[in-house]
Amino acid sequence: LATILVRSQRSNQGTASRTTGKRAVGLSFAATMSATTATSQHLKNLRVASLLPSTTDIVAALGLSSHLVGVTHECQIPTGCAPGYPLILTKSMLNYEGSGQGDIDAKVKRAAADAAAAACPLPSSASGAENVIADTVQSLYPIDREALKLANPTVVLTQNLCGVCAPSTTEVKKALVEGGKSEAGGVEVLSLEPETLEDVAATFVTVADACGVHDRGVRMRDEFLANLKLLTDTVSKTTDKKRPRVLLFEWLDPPYDGGHWIPGMVEAAGCEYIKIGSHSSPSPNSWNGTKSKQVTWEDVYEADPDVVLVACCGFDLKRNIKDALGAADRLGKLRAAREGRLYACNGDLYYARPGPLLLDGANVAAQCAFEGFDERVAEAVCNLNFAPKQGDAWEKIDVAQATSVANGDIEDMAECWAKLHQKACEEGKTEYADPATGYHVFSEIAHKKRGKCCGSGCRHCPYNHENVKAHLKADKILQPAFLNVRADGASMVVPESSKGSPDPRTVKIMFFSGGKDSFLALRRLVRQSNSEEPCGIVLLTTFDATTRIIAHQEVHISNVVKQAAAFDVPLVGIPMHRGTSETYVDRVRRGIDLIASTVGKDKDIVLAFGDLHLSHIKQWRDDALGGYALEYPCWKRPYASLLGDLEASGVTCVVSASTTDVVKEGDVFGRELYEMALKNGVDAFGEEGEFHTLARVWEVDRRQALGLCTVKVDA
């Protein structure tokens, strides 16, 4: 019983962002709902307390944010709320950030068991009396009584499924009575318990009716259902392939499959949902509304899904990526993982909450299921106006690499896959057995026999992934490849001044991490090229092949692709594979060779870096990359000058990683932070590794960002 309560609640109500006060993402229906204040007395007096993240989303989508007086600690606060509102009405007794899934599950099960044991008629109750939760059982999300009293709601939105996972109707009514309120006194307590997508859509009307805006709820429901049908029709009209069989993990430790509306979402995405433990091949929507349940890994392996989504309840994309990599030893045994069809998703926003964003979640399921399987479908669903983007809502996970690292790195074995591949090629073989998984991998010889890039992002593609879809390259490439090309198709940026040659002899490769230092170095290169020494410019970046994260900066490669697109500067990405005999320099030289072969062998190649003053780093680069001319545009330049140039660019730089308490992740790097760092004895530019940043260059005009508004080069 405890397990049913726990998993039903996880599926039925969801937990939202772990950051209180975060701005809500755009809701699909918000634009269609009029937020104009009605003249009815009901709306004038309307004060809504939402005790579920899902109902907060619904209220916002109905255009009623200005009437929202209270939310949970986990809700994302929508725009348009009244000054001073909403108040935070709950708190959590769990530490999600510092706990593993196994620990969280155990705590919730204990609380659910206590609640289940206490749920019985009081001894003095007559036959048929309402079951209640004993006062001694504490909810994991207790209500702040004082805050609820101050909120003074006229409508309270809650649930009555589980007495420990979210405030129950009984707990809400008790808190209202303690605050001098009751339903009889004009407070309506509304309990929502949807089980299917159709039920979820119906709750839009239910909430709208309680708030006196029936027509808005009807429009919202109808548009939600119409868009679900549009998604299904888009998939069915675009492909004639067999429906992919999809499994969604709602929890990993222990494993739980998705329940309630999750099967319906997958079916709406044009896929077949796998319900673990069933050996039948059901008709569409057979599992819609069925409860989530705990399963065994053996049952998961037997089910053998084509596509696996890790969308654990209450966890955002970053946490689900982390936990998926942490479960790499188990997930890596799945055929879907070996074939590159394992994905982490933002389970918090798009799957756990029974609200309007489930539509977006269904689209995410379609994007993942058809990515690399039928690109026509992937592209078609991406073009719908309710399509969250890769990097924001989902990412592909390579657990094979994580497994090898967790097991001590393949390079510690007799042979790593790089050596095995080299041996296979020397012997003329078209494949070799991967030492981590035992599965066969095509060699470069096999790809050359095919005669072209297949577009799947193969490990040993000799064609630099030229046929991988542009919007998928950052996620798929395993060899150096262009991640961004100029709008005019040119392979490099050339000077814009009249002094510049349209085909300069020198090409400078800017090693670009996305932070302020490399950004400032790029600005200086561009200015020099337009005023002193004409040259072509290409960006180059390295990132982890498994996590797709840029080392030290702790930002996803998609951010640097976004920067390059804003600059309109070509970018080459180099995935760095862990656990191989290939060194950093080996991989970098591959990327340099790709650029050299693209711009022309007759060009003089110069490598440029954003180092500021660390001599040992500069010396290492000089030694390791001998044979090339190296430049350091910002070397030994005064910090005050660099700060002034950054301010002149108008670009905001946000701290993406920090190893000091003085500077926090999310802080904006500017004069105030610069001076604070100096006062606290921290390198003001974080050159010793104290902190790293991401330059949000896409927020300003390209010419201003690159320093093209003037050709002056500061001293």
Side-chain angles (χ1 to χ4, degrees), residues 417 465 473-481 483 541-546 548 557 572-578 582-584 587-588 590:
W417 62 254
H465 301 295
K473 279 191 173 182
D475 179 61
K476 298 186 73 168
I477 68 166
L478 295 174
Q479 295 295 338
L483 296 180
T541 192
T542 61
F543 57 94
D544 187 277
T546 301
R548 321 306 275 190
I557 180 59
V572 167
I574 305 176
M576 308 302 289
H577 297 278
R578 292 179 281 179
E582 282 190 300
T583 67
Y584 170 84
R587 297 292 290 174
V588 166
R590 284 197 181 200

PDB file of all heavy atoms in Angstrom, residues 417 465 473-481 483 541-546 548 557 572-578 582-584 587-588 590:
ATOM      1  N   TRP A 417      39.523   1.204 -26.628  1.00  0.00           N
ATOM      2  CA  TRP A 417      38.864   1.075 -27.932  1.00  0.00           C
ATOM      3  C   TRP A 417      39.618   1.803 -29.030  1.00  0.00           C
ATOM      4  O   TRP A 417      39.554   1.413 -30.201  1.00  0.00           O
ATOM      5  CB  TRP A 417      37.412   1.497 -27.869  1.00  0.00           C
ATOM      6  CG  TRP A 417      37.051   2.899 -27.500  1.00  0.00           C
ATOM      7  CD1 TRP A 417      36.528   3.320 -26.323  1.00  0.00           C
ATOM      8  CD2 TRP A 417      37.137   4.070 -28.329  1.00  0.00           C
ATOM      9  NE1 TRP A 417      36.291   4.669 -26.355  1.00  0.00           N
ATOM     10  CE2 TRP A 417      36.651   5.157 -27.580  1.00  0.00           C
ATOM     11  CE3 TRP A 417      37.572   4.305 -29.625  1.00  0.00           C
ATOM     12  CZ2 TRP A 417      36.596   6.454 -28.080  1.00  0.00           C
ATOM     13  CZ3 TRP A 417      37.517   5.595 -30.134  1.00  0.00           C
ATOM     14  CH2 TRP A 417      37.042   6.645 -29.369  1.00  0.00           C
ATOM     15  N   HIS A 465      31.324  13.997 -39.864  1.00  0.00           N
ATOM     16  CA  HIS A 465      29.886  14.089 -39.562  1.00  0.00           C
ATOM     17  C   HIS A 465      29.171  15.097 -40.459  1.00  0.00           C
ATOM     18  O   HIS A 465      28.244  15.790 -40.032  1.00  0.00           O
ATOM     19  CB  HIS A 465      29.669  14.463 -38.093  1.00  0.00           C
ATOM     20  CG  HIS A 465      30.270  13.503 -37.117  1.00  0.00           C
ATOM     21  ND1 HIS A 465      29.846  12.209 -36.991  1.00  0.00           N
ATOM     22  CD2 HIS A 465      31.285  13.655 -36.223  1.00  0.00           C
ATOM     23  CE1 HIS A 465      30.551  11.589 -36.053  1.00  0.00           C
ATOM     24  NE2 HIS A 465      31.441  12.450 -35.578  1.00  0.00           N
ATOM     25  N   LYS A 473      24.038  18.223 -34.293  1.00  0.00           N
ATOM     26  CA  LYS A 473      25.480  17.966 -34.239  1.00  0.00           C
ATOM     27  C   LYS A 473      26.064  18.095 -32.834  1.00  0.00           C
ATOM     28  O   LYS A 473      26.897  17.289 -32.425  1.00  0.00           O
ATOM     29  CB  LYS A 473      26.214  18.895 -35.203  1.00  0.00           C
ATOM     30  CG  LYS A 473      26.196  18.417 -36.651  1.00  0.00           C
ATOM     31  CD  LYS A 473      27.159  19.218 -37.508  1.00  0.00           C
ATOM     32  CE  LYS A 473      27.257  18.612 -38.907  1.00  0.00           C
ATOM     33  NZ  LYS A 473      28.227  19.343 -39.758  1.00  0.00           N
ATOM     34  N   ALA A 474      25.661  19.113 -32.106  1.00  0.00           N
ATOM     35  CA  ALA A 474      26.227  19.312 -30.772  1.00  0.00           C
ATOM     36  C   ALA A 474      25.976  18.112 -29.875  1.00  0.00           C
ATOM     37  O   ALA A 474      26.757  17.837 -28.965  1.00  0.00           O
ATOM     38  CB  ALA A 474      25.641  20.568 -30.134  1.00  0.00           C
ATOM     39  N   ASP A 475      24.915  17.392 -30.146  1.00  0.00           N
ATOM     40  CA  ASP A 475      24.566  16.233 -29.329  1.00  0.00           C
ATOM     41  C   ASP A 475      25.160  14.937 -29.857  1.00  0.00           C
ATOM     42  O   ASP A 475      25.445  14.025 -29.082  1.00  0.00           O
ATOM     43  CB  ASP A 475      23.039  16.094 -29.268  1.00  0.00           C
ATOM     44  CG  ASP A 475      22.607  14.891 -28.456  1.00  0.00           C
ATOM     45  OD1 ASP A 475      22.934  14.847 -27.262  1.00  0.00           O
ATOM     46  OD2 ASP A 475      21.959  13.993 -29.021  1.00  0.00           O
ATOM     47  N   LYS A 476      25.400  14.853 -31.158  1.00  0.00           N
ATOM     48  CA  LYS A 476      25.699  13.557 -31.753  1.00  0.00           C
ATOM     49  C   LYS A 476      27.149  13.319 -32.142  1.00  0.00           C
ATOM     50  O   LYS A 476      27.597  12.176 -32.153  1.00  0.00           O
ATOM     51  CB  LYS A 476      24.822  13.345 -32.998  1.00  0.00           C
ATOM     52  CG  LYS A 476      23.340  13.335 -32.706  1.00  0.00           C
ATOM     53  CD  LYS A 476      22.516  12.988 -33.921  1.00  0.00           C
ATOM     54  CE  LYS A 476      22.628  11.524 -34.266  1.00  0.00           C
ATOM     55  NZ  LYS A 476      21.618  11.117 -35.261  1.00  0.00           N
ATOM     56  N   ILE A 477      27.898  14.366 -32.497  1.00  0.00           N
ATOM     57  CA  ILE A 477      29.210  14.112 -33.084  1.00  0.00           C
ATOM     58  C   ILE A 477      30.150  13.439 -32.083  1.00  0.00           C
ATOM     59  O   ILE A 477      30.126  13.721 -30.887  1.00  0.00           O
ATOM     60  CB  ILE A 477      29.864  15.398 -33.628  1.00  0.00           C
ATOM     61  CG1 ILE A 477      30.234  16.361 -32.489  1.00  0.00           C
ATOM     62  CG2 ILE A 477      28.966  16.079 -34.645  1.00  0.00           C
ATOM     63  CD1 ILE A 477      31.172  17.472 -32.928  1.00  0.00           C
ATOM     64  N   LEU A 478      30.975  12.546 -32.589  1.00  0.00           N
ATOM     65  CA  LEU A 478      31.992  11.871 -31.789  1.00  0.00           C
ATOM     66  C   LEU A 478      33.392  12.104 -32.341  1.00  0.00           C
ATOM     67  O   LEU A 478      34.380  11.632 -31.773  1.00  0.00           O
ATOM     68  CB  LEU A 478      31.696  10.360 -31.717  1.00  0.00           C
ATOM     69  CG  LEU A 478      30.395   9.998 -30.984  1.00  0.00           C
ATOM     70  CD1 LEU A 478      30.117   8.511 -31.105  1.00  0.00           C
ATOM     71  CD2 LEU A 478      30.469  10.414 -29.525  1.00  0.00           C
ATOM     72  N   GLN A 479      33.471  12.794 -33.458  1.00  0.00           N
ATOM     73  CA  GLN A 479      34.734  13.202 -34.052  1.00  0.00           C
ATOM     74  C   GLN A 479      34.686  14.714 -34.283  1.00  0.00           C
ATOM     75  O   GLN A 479      33.606  15.309 -34.301  1.00  0.00           O
ATOM     76  CB  GLN A 479      34.956  12.475 -35.394  1.00  0.00           C
ATOM     77  CG  GLN A 479      35.116  10.970 -35.288  1.00  0.00           C
ATOM     78  CD  GLN A 479      36.377  10.574 -34.525  1.00  0.00           C
ATOM     79  OE1 GLN A 479      37.319  11.335 -34.425  1.00  0.00           O
ATOM     80  NE2 GLN A 479      36.374   9.358 -33.990  1.00  0.00           N
ATOM     81  N   PRO A 480      35.838  15.370 -34.459  1.00  0.00           N
ATOM     82  CA  PRO A 480      35.819  16.814 -34.728  1.00  0.00           C
ATOM     83  C   PRO A 480      34.945  17.142 -35.935  1.00  0.00           C
ATOM     84  O   PRO A 480      34.982  16.451 -36.955  1.00  0.00           O
ATOM     85  CB  PRO A 480      37.296  17.125 -35.015  1.00  0.00           C
ATOM     86  CG  PRO A 480      38.053  16.079 -34.264  1.00  0.00           C
ATOM     87  CD  PRO A 480      37.221  14.830 -34.375  1.00  0.00           C
ATOM     88  N   ALA A 481      34.156  18.190 -35.810  1.00  0.00           N
ATOM     89  CA  ALA A 481      33.238  18.573 -36.884  1.00  0.00           C
ATOM     90  C   ALA A 481      32.846  20.033 -36.708  1.00  0.00           C
ATOM     91  O   ALA A 481      32.932  20.591 -35.611  1.00  0.00           O
ATOM     92  CB  ALA A 481      31.992  17.690 -36.871  1.00  0.00           C
ATOM     93  N   LEU A 483      30.386  22.734 -35.967  1.00  0.00           N
ATOM     94  CA  LEU A 483      29.110  22.846 -35.265  1.00  0.00           C
ATOM     95  C   LEU A 483      28.355  24.106 -35.674  1.00  0.00           C
ATOM     96  O   LEU A 483      27.166  24.229 -35.416  1.00  0.00           O
ATOM     97  CB  LEU A 483      29.338  22.853 -33.754  1.00  0.00           C
ATOM     98  CG  LEU A 483      29.940  21.580 -33.163  1.00  0.00           C
ATOM     99  CD1 LEU A 483      30.113  21.720 -31.661  1.00  0.00           C
ATOM    100  CD2 LEU A 483      29.086  20.365 -33.483  1.00  0.00           C
ATOM    101  N   THR A 541      36.496  24.567 -29.985  1.00  0.00           N
ATOM    102  CA  THR A 541      36.231  24.251 -28.581  1.00  0.00           C
ATOM    103  C   THR A 541      36.263  22.752 -28.365  1.00  0.00           C
ATOM    104  O   THR A 541      35.972  21.969 -29.276  1.00  0.00           O
ATOM    105  CB  THR A 541      34.875  24.825 -28.135  1.00  0.00           C
ATOM    106  OG1 THR A 541      34.766  24.743 -26.713  1.00  0.00           O
ATOM    107  CG2 THR A 541      33.710  24.063 -28.759  1.00  0.00           C
ATOM    108  N   THR A 542      36.634  22.345 -27.165  1.00  0.00           N
ATOM    109  CA  THR A 542      36.627  20.935 -26.791  1.00  0.00           C
ATOM    110  C   THR A 542      35.582  20.720 -25.697  1.00  0.00           C
ATOM    111  O   THR A 542      35.305  21.625 -24.904  1.00  0.00           O
ATOM    112  CB  THR A 542      38.000  20.489 -26.264  1.00  0.00           C
ATOM    113  OG1 THR A 542      38.339  21.253 -25.096  1.00  0.00           O
ATOM    114  CG2 THR A 542      39.077  20.696 -27.325  1.00  0.00           C
ATOM    115  N   PHE A 543      35.011  19.514 -25.664  1.00  0.00           N
ATOM    116  CA  PHE A 543      33.996  19.213 -24.658  1.00  0.00           C
ATOM    117  C   PHE A 543      33.976  17.724 -24.398  1.00  0.00           C
ATOM    118  O   PHE A 543      34.466  16.921 -25.205  1.00  0.00           O
ATOM    119  CB  PHE A 543      32.614  19.692 -25.109  1.00  0.00           C
ATOM    120  CG  PHE A 543      32.151  19.123 -26.427  1.00  0.00           C
ATOM    121  CD1 PHE A 543      31.353  17.984 -26.474  1.00  0.00           C
ATOM    122  CD2 PHE A 543      32.522  19.717 -27.623  1.00  0.00           C
ATOM    123  CE1 PHE A 543      30.929  17.457 -27.680  1.00  0.00           C
ATOM    124  CE2 PHE A 543      32.104  19.203 -28.844  1.00  0.00           C
ATOM    125  CZ  PHE A 543      31.310  18.066 -28.874  1.00  0.00           C
ATOM    126  N   ASP A 544      33.449  17.335 -23.265  1.00  0.00           N
ATOM    127  CA  ASP A 544      33.384  15.929 -22.879  1.00  0.00           C
ATOM    128  C   ASP A 544      32.404  15.179 -23.777  1.00  0.00           C
ATOM    129  O   ASP A 544      31.256  15.596 -23.930  1.00  0.00           O
ATOM    130  CB  ASP A 544      32.954  15.805 -21.412  1.00  0.00           C
ATOM    131  CG  ASP A 544      33.035  14.389 -20.902  1.00  0.00           C
ATOM    132  OD1 ASP A 544      32.071  13.629 -21.139  1.00  0.00           O
ATOM    133  OD2 ASP A 544      34.042  14.029 -20.271  1.00  0.00           O
ATOM    134  N   ALA A 545      32.855  14.082 -24.370  1.00  0.00           N
ATOM    135  CA  ALA A 545      32.011  13.333 -25.307  1.00  0.00           C
ATOM    136  C   ALA A 545      30.815  12.695 -24.623  1.00  0.00           C
ATOM    137  O   ALA A 545      29.801  12.423 -25.264  1.00  0.00           O
ATOM    138  CB  ALA A 545      32.844  12.258 -26.016  1.00  0.00           C
ATOM    139  N   THR A 546      30.907  12.448 -23.324  1.00  0.00           N
ATOM    140  CA  THR A 546      29.807  11.803 -22.607  1.00  0.00           C
ATOM    141  C   THR A 546      28.777  12.808 -22.119  1.00  0.00           C
ATOM    142  O   THR A 546      27.590  12.688 -22.411  1.00  0.00           O
ATOM    143  CB  THR A 546      30.351  11.017 -21.397  1.00  0.00           C
ATOM    144  OG1 THR A 546      31.281  10.041 -21.858  1.00  0.00           O
ATOM    145  CG2 THR A 546      29.223  10.330 -20.647  1.00  0.00           C
ATOM    146  N   ARG A 548      28.834  16.173 -22.726  1.00  0.00           N
ATOM    147  CA  ARG A 548      28.759  17.323 -23.638  1.00  0.00           C
ATOM    148  C   ARG A 548      29.000  18.640 -22.890  1.00  0.00           C
ATOM    149  O   ARG A 548      28.580  19.713 -23.316  1.00  0.00           O
ATOM    150  CB  ARG A 548      27.422  17.393 -24.385  1.00  0.00           C
ATOM    151  CG  ARG A 548      26.842  16.073 -24.853  1.00  0.00           C
ATOM    152  CD  ARG A 548      27.799  15.275 -25.684  1.00  0.00           C
ATOM    153  NE  ARG A 548      27.805  15.632 -27.096  1.00  0.00           N
ATOM    154  CZ  ARG A 548      28.427  14.920 -28.044  1.00  0.00           C
ATOM    155  NH1 ARG A 548      29.107  13.829 -27.712  1.00  0.00           N
ATOM    156  NH2 ARG A 548      28.407  15.304 -29.302  1.00  0.00           N
ATOM    157  N   ILE A 557      27.865  22.294 -24.434  1.00  0.00           N
ATOM    158  CA  ILE A 557      28.391  22.706 -25.731  1.00  0.00           C
ATOM    159  C   ILE A 557      27.366  23.505 -26.527  1.00  0.00           C
ATOM    160  O   ILE A 557      27.721  24.380 -27.332  1.00  0.00           O
ATOM    161  CB  ILE A 557      28.863  21.466 -26.538  1.00  0.00           C
ATOM    162  CG1 ILE A 557      29.429  21.879 -27.901  1.00  0.00           C
ATOM    163  CG2 ILE A 557      27.761  20.459 -26.699  1.00  0.00           C
ATOM    164  CD1 ILE A 557      30.608  22.819 -27.817  1.00  0.00           C
ATOM    165  N   VAL A 572      34.320  24.834 -34.734  1.00  0.00           N
ATOM    166  CA  VAL A 572      34.620  23.401 -34.784  1.00  0.00           C
ATOM    167  C   VAL A 572      34.599  22.863 -33.362  1.00  0.00           C
ATOM    168  O   VAL A 572      35.222  23.438 -32.460  1.00  0.00           O
ATOM    169  CB  VAL A 572      35.992  23.135 -35.434  1.00  0.00           C
ATOM    170  CG1 VAL A 572      36.438  21.693 -35.190  1.00  0.00           C
ATOM    171  CG2 VAL A 572      35.922  23.411 -36.928  1.00  0.00           C
ATOM    172  N   GLY A 573      33.850  21.799 -33.138  1.00  0.00           N
ATOM    173  CA  GLY A 573      33.784  21.148 -31.837  1.00  0.00           C
ATOM    174  C   GLY A 573      34.575  19.860 -31.842  1.00  0.00           C
ATOM    175  O   GLY A 573      34.552  19.109 -32.818  1.00  0.00           O
ATOM    176  N   ILE A 574      35.269  19.600 -30.732  1.00  0.00           N
ATOM    177  CA  ILE A 574      36.079  18.385 -30.615  1.00  0.00           C
ATOM    178  C   ILE A 574      35.631  17.618 -29.377  1.00  0.00           C
ATOM    179  O   ILE A 574      35.922  18.034 -28.248  1.00  0.00           O
ATOM    180  CB  ILE A 574      37.579  18.716 -30.507  1.00  0.00           C
ATOM    181  CG1 ILE A 574      38.035  19.581 -31.683  1.00  0.00           C
ATOM    182  CG2 ILE A 574      38.406  17.438 -30.429  1.00  0.00           C
ATOM    183  CD1 ILE A 574      39.480  20.019 -31.600  1.00  0.00           C
ATOM    184  N   PRO A 575      34.916  16.502 -29.547  1.00  0.00           N
ATOM    185  CA  PRO A 575      34.532  15.684 -28.392  1.00  0.00           C
ATOM    186  C   PRO A 575      35.761  14.991 -27.821  1.00  0.00           C
ATOM    187  O   PRO A 575      36.533  14.376 -28.551  1.00  0.00           O
ATOM    188  CB  PRO A 575      33.547  14.663 -28.975  1.00  0.00           C
ATOM    189  CG  PRO A 575      33.217  15.162 -30.356  1.00  0.00           C
ATOM    190  CD  PRO A 575      34.399  15.947 -30.810  1.00  0.00           C
ATOM    191  N   MET A 576      35.949  15.093 -26.517  1.00  0.00           N
ATOM    192  CA  MET A 576      37.081  14.460 -25.847  1.00  0.00           C
ATOM    193  C   MET A 576      36.595  13.179 -25.182  1.00  0.00           C
ATOM    194  O   MET A 576      35.742  13.215 -24.292  1.00  0.00           O
ATOM    195  CB  MET A 576      37.684  15.412 -24.803  1.00  0.00           C
ATOM    196  CG  MET A 576      38.028  16.803 -25.354  1.00  0.00           C
ATOM    197  SD  MET A 576      39.196  16.774 -26.734  1.00  0.00           S
ATOM    198  CE  MET A 576      40.690  16.301 -25.892  1.00  0.00           C
ATOM    199  N   HIS A 577      37.134  12.055 -25.620  1.00  0.00           N
ATOM    200  CA  HIS A 577      36.703  10.751 -25.112  1.00  0.00           C
ATOM    201  C   HIS A 577      37.523  10.351 -23.896  1.00  0.00           C
ATOM    202  O   HIS A 577      38.756  10.353 -23.936  1.00  0.00           O
ATOM    203  CB  HIS A 577      36.841   9.688 -26.196  1.00  0.00           C
ATOM    204  CG  HIS A 577      35.970   9.925 -27.384  1.00  0.00           C
ATOM    205  ND1 HIS A 577      34.645   9.574 -27.412  1.00  0.00           N
ATOM    206  CD2 HIS A 577      36.235  10.501 -28.587  1.00  0.00           C
ATOM    207  CE1 HIS A 577      34.119   9.908 -28.583  1.00  0.00           C
ATOM    208  NE2 HIS A 577      35.069  10.483 -29.307  1.00  0.00           N
ATOM    209  N   ARG A 578      36.820   9.998 -22.844  1.00  0.00           N
ATOM    210  CA  ARG A 578      37.510   9.508 -21.651  1.00  0.00           C
ATOM    211  C   ARG A 578      37.857   8.029 -21.830  1.00  0.00           C
ATOM    212  O   ARG A 578      37.137   7.272 -22.445  1.00  0.00           O
ATOM    213  CB  ARG A 578      36.617   9.675 -20.426  1.00  0.00           C
ATOM    214  CG  ARG A 578      36.384  11.121 -20.045  1.00  0.00           C
ATOM    215  CD  ARG A 578      35.467  11.238 -18.845  1.00  0.00           C
ATOM    216  NE  ARG A 578      34.069  11.075 -19.223  1.00  0.00           N
ATOM    217  CZ  ARG A 578      33.059  11.112 -18.364  1.00  0.00           C
ATOM    218  NH1 ARG A 578      33.306  11.301 -17.087  1.00  0.00           N
ATOM    219  NH2 ARG A 578      31.825  10.974 -18.761  1.00  0.00           N
ATOM    220  N   GLU A 582      44.075   8.155 -26.856  1.00  0.00           N
ATOM    221  CA  GLU A 582      44.254   9.429 -27.533  1.00  0.00           C
ATOM    222  C   GLU A 582      44.422  10.549 -26.509  1.00  0.00           C
ATOM    223  O   GLU A 582      43.638  10.668 -25.574  1.00  0.00           O
ATOM    224  CB  GLU A 582      43.045   9.740 -28.423  1.00  0.00           C
ATOM    225  CG  GLU A 582      43.020   8.986 -29.730  1.00  0.00           C
ATOM    226  CD  GLU A 582      41.935   9.514 -30.650  1.00  0.00           C
ATOM    227  OE1 GLU A 582      40.771   9.464 -30.245  1.00  0.00           O
ATOM    228  OE2 GLU A 582      42.260   9.971 -31.756  1.00  0.00           O
ATOM    229  N   THR A 583      45.434  11.371 -26.697  1.00  0.00           N
ATOM    230  CA  THR A 583      45.670  12.476 -25.779  1.00  0.00           C
ATOM    231  C   THR A 583      44.875  13.704 -26.199  1.00  0.00           C
ATOM    232  O   THR A 583      44.321  13.767 -27.303  1.00  0.00           O
ATOM    233  CB  THR A 583      47.161  12.840 -25.748  1.00  0.00           C
ATOM    234  OG1 THR A 583      47.537  13.376 -27.031  1.00  0.00           O
ATOM    235  CG2 THR A 583      48.012  11.617 -25.432  1.00  0.00           C
ATOM    236  N   TYR A 584      44.868  14.676 -25.313  1.00  0.00           N
ATOM    237  CA  TYR A 584      44.219  15.950 -25.620  1.00  0.00           C
ATOM    238  C   TYR A 584      44.821  16.554 -26.887  1.00  0.00           C
ATOM    239  O   TYR A 584      44.094  17.020 -27.778  1.00  0.00           O
ATOM    240  CB  TYR A 584      44.389  16.904 -24.436  1.00  0.00           C
ATOM    241  CG  TYR A 584      43.976  18.330 -24.720  1.00  0.00           C
ATOM    242  CD1 TYR A 584      42.645  18.727 -24.611  1.00  0.00           C
ATOM    243  CD2 TYR A 584      44.923  19.292 -25.096  1.00  0.00           C
ATOM    244  CE1 TYR A 584      42.264  20.040 -24.874  1.00  0.00           C
ATOM    245  CE2 TYR A 584      44.550  20.596 -25.359  1.00  0.00           C
ATOM    246  CZ  TYR A 584      43.228  20.968 -25.248  1.00  0.00           C
ATOM    247  OH  TYR A 584      42.863  22.261 -25.510  1.00  0.00           O
ATOM    248  N   ARG A 587      43.699  14.872 -30.130  1.00  0.00           N
ATOM    249  CA  ARG A 587      42.351  15.249 -30.551  1.00  0.00           C
ATOM    250  C   ARG A 587      42.329  16.674 -31.112  1.00  0.00           C
ATOM    251  O   ARG A 587      41.674  16.948 -32.116  1.00  0.00           O
ATOM    252  CB  ARG A 587      41.379  15.151 -29.368  1.00  0.00           C
ATOM    253  CG  ARG A 587      41.217  13.755 -28.794  1.00  0.00           C
ATOM    254  CD  ARG A 587      40.526  12.831 -29.757  1.00  0.00           C
ATOM    255  NE  ARG A 587      39.117  13.172 -29.936  1.00  0.00           N
ATOM    256  CZ  ARG A 587      38.315  12.585 -30.813  1.00  0.00           C
ATOM    257  NH1 ARG A 587      38.805  11.647 -31.626  1.00  0.00           N
ATOM    258  NH2 ARG A 587      37.049  12.941 -30.917  1.00  0.00           N
ATOM    259  N   VAL A 588      43.049  17.570 -30.445  1.00  0.00           N
ATOM    260  CA  VAL A 588      43.086  18.956 -30.911  1.00  0.00           C
ATOM    261  C   VAL A 588      43.695  19.037 -32.307  1.00  0.00           C
ATOM    262  O   VAL A 588      43.213  19.784 -33.173  1.00  0.00           O
ATOM    263  CB  VAL A 588      43.864  19.833 -29.914  1.00  0.00           C
ATOM    264  CG1 VAL A 588      44.214  21.184 -30.535  1.00  0.00           C
ATOM    265  CG2 VAL A 588      43.041  20.048 -28.644  1.00  0.00           C
ATOM    266  N   ARG A 590      43.526  16.910 -34.587  1.00  0.00           N
ATOM    267  CA  ARG A 590      42.507  16.474 -35.554  1.00  0.00           C
ATOM    268  C   ARG A 590      41.590  17.637 -35.935  1.00  0.00           C
ATOM    269  O   ARG A 590      41.238  17.808 -37.103  1.00  0.00           O
ATOM    270  CB  ARG A 590      41.663  15.336 -34.965  1.00  0.00           C
ATOM    271  CG  ARG A 590      42.350  13.985 -34.934  1.00  0.00           C
ATOM    272  CD  ARG A 590      41.306  12.908 -34.741  1.00  0.00           C
ATOM    273  NE  ARG A 590      41.867  11.586 -34.671  1.00  0.00           N
ATOM    274  CZ  ARG A 590      41.166  10.479 -34.886  1.00  0.00           C
ATOM    275  NH1 ARG A 590      39.874  10.581 -35.177  1.00  0.00           N
ATOM    276  NH2 ARG A 590      41.716   9.297 -34.806  1.00  0.00           N
TER     277      ARG A 590
END
